Amino acid sequence: MPIRLTLPPTFADRIDAADRPQVGMWVCSGSPLVAEIAAGSGLDWVLIDGEHSPNGLESILAQLQAVAAYPVAPVVRVPYGDTVVIKQFLDLGVQNLLVPMVDSAEQAAEIVRAVRYPTGGVRGVGSSLARASRWNRVDGYLQAASSTISLVVQIESAAAVAAVDEIAATPGVDGLFVGPADLAASMGHLGQQSHPEVVDAVLASIRAGVAAGVPVGVNAFAPADADRYLEAGASFVAVGADVALLARASEALADRFIGPTGAPDATSAGADERPSY
């Protein structure tokens, strides 16, 4: 007899059951080992990135396998909201899908259709060959598949903020995730995620999600920004990234033991006070 399996709860289920906001980090290195280290950190979720990172189907699969032993929710970002790409990620066993650059309710509705089987959607049926159903070891997977997937769409343009009420109200959208970097760029404030106009747009998106009863998350590596958005009602935040943590920590080591001029200097002013990211 084959083993019969039950899939873990989705990220949306975890948010709904939690008594506090969920705190997570990006995993951008493409390394299963780094993903496993992040998964065991005590954070609530990890975000494996397929948009801006050196990740393909094989490396994402390896990272999903690496983090599966830990009590953490893996969220995976696709490179873009293409129906075929989404099908491939779902068949890998991605349960928590993040789709970037969603600017309208119409676009959100098409993405919802991409994650659902007919007749409610257009997802191709290949579950018997796929990790998603654990190769047909999850009883009733086809009938219950939509309940095993949570869909989060990214609000990261001025157009998306203008349409955020309609996007939040789209049936099948389980959460919104605001990306201040691209949002700032679209508003003419490239590299200024903490610009007052950008902050106001993020806060407006959080209010829209709260009003619609839809969880809203924010990418906020600066602690002050994370605190601000959590106080405003964000249900989840990403507060760091593996590659950024390694970059800043290795720079701090170089400053501490070599010095900013390249000469060994164990007393470099301020070296011990540098932030970790």
Side-chain angles (χ1 to χ4, degrees), residues 179-242:
D182 279 305
L183 178 57
S186 80
M187 298 175 70
H189 303 302
L190 182 64
Q192 302 177 63
Q193 291 93 309
S194 296
H195 189 284
E197 292 180 0
V198 179
V199 171
D200 287 346
V202 176
L203 293 173
S205 300
I206 293 173
R207 289 193 296 270
V210 170
V214 174
V216 182
V218 186
N219 203 38
F221 289 8
D225 288 342
D227 289 339
R228 176 192 294 121
Y229 298 137
L230 288 169
E231 289 172 4
S235 296
F236 58 105
V237 290
V239 295
D242 56 349

Side-chain angles (χ1 to χ4, degrees), residues 251-266:
E251 290 161 6
L253 287 174
D255 281 355
R256 170 65 176 79
F257 291 101
I258 299 173
T261 63
D265 182 1

Side-chain angles (χ1 to χ4, degrees), residues 15-243:
I15 292 171
D16 186 57
D19 58 3
R20 59 169 176 78
Q22 299 293 280
V23 180
M25 66 175 285
W26 292 82
V27 177
C28 304
S29 61
S31 165
L33 182 62
V34 173
E36 184 173 4
I37 292 169
S41 67
L43 292 170
D44 300 305
W45 59 290
V46 293
L47 208 171
I48 301 168
D49 186 27
E51 183 187 15
H52 289 299
S53 301
N55 272 314
L57 294 174
E58 291 84 358
S59 64
I60 289 172
L61 171 60
Q63 288 169 84
L64 290 173
Q65 292 168 330
V67 306
Y70 296 86
V72 66
V75 180
V76 181
R77 180 163 71 173
V78 294
Y80 60 108
D82 175 79
T83 299
V84 173
V85 172
I86 288 172
K87 172 180 63 178
Q88 290 180 302
F89 276 58
L90 294 179
D91 283 351
L92 280 185
V94 172
Q95 288 184 254
N96 307 303
L97 195 72
L98 178 65
V99 179
M101 295 291 184
V102 176
D103 293 333
S104 69
E106 293 76 17
Q107 187 182 359
E110 285 303 306
I111 293 166
V112 171
R113 286 175 53 77
V115 305
R116 293 186 173 179
Y117 289 125
T119 57
V122 295
R123 178 183 175 188
V125 182
S127 60
S128 64
L129 307 176
R131 183 174 180 270
S133 71
R134 302 304 187 265
W135 304 277
N136 272 353
R137 290 171 180 163
V138 175
D139 284 334
Y141 177 79
L142 285 174
Q143 292 71 32
S146 61
S147 68
T148 71
I149 298 165
S150 66
L151 172 63
V152 180
V153 300
Q154 281 199 259
I155 305 297
E156 44 187 346
S157 70
V161 173
V164 69
D165 292 313
E166 292 80 14
I167 294 171
T170 303
V173 169
D174 297 303
L176 310 177
F177 187 64
V178 185
D182 279 305
L183 178 57
S186 80
M187 298 175 70
H189 303 302
L190 182 64
Q192 302 177 63
Q193 291 93 309
S194 296
H195 189 284
E197 292 180 0
V198 179
V199 171
D200 287 346
V202 176
L203 293 173
S205 300
I206 293 173
R207 289 193 296 270
V210 170
V214 174
V216 182
V218 186
N219 203 38
F221 289 8
D225 288 342
D227 289 339
R228 176 192 294 121
Y229 298 137
L230 288 169
E231 289 172 4
S235 296
F236 58 105
V237 290
V239 295
D242 56 349
V243 292

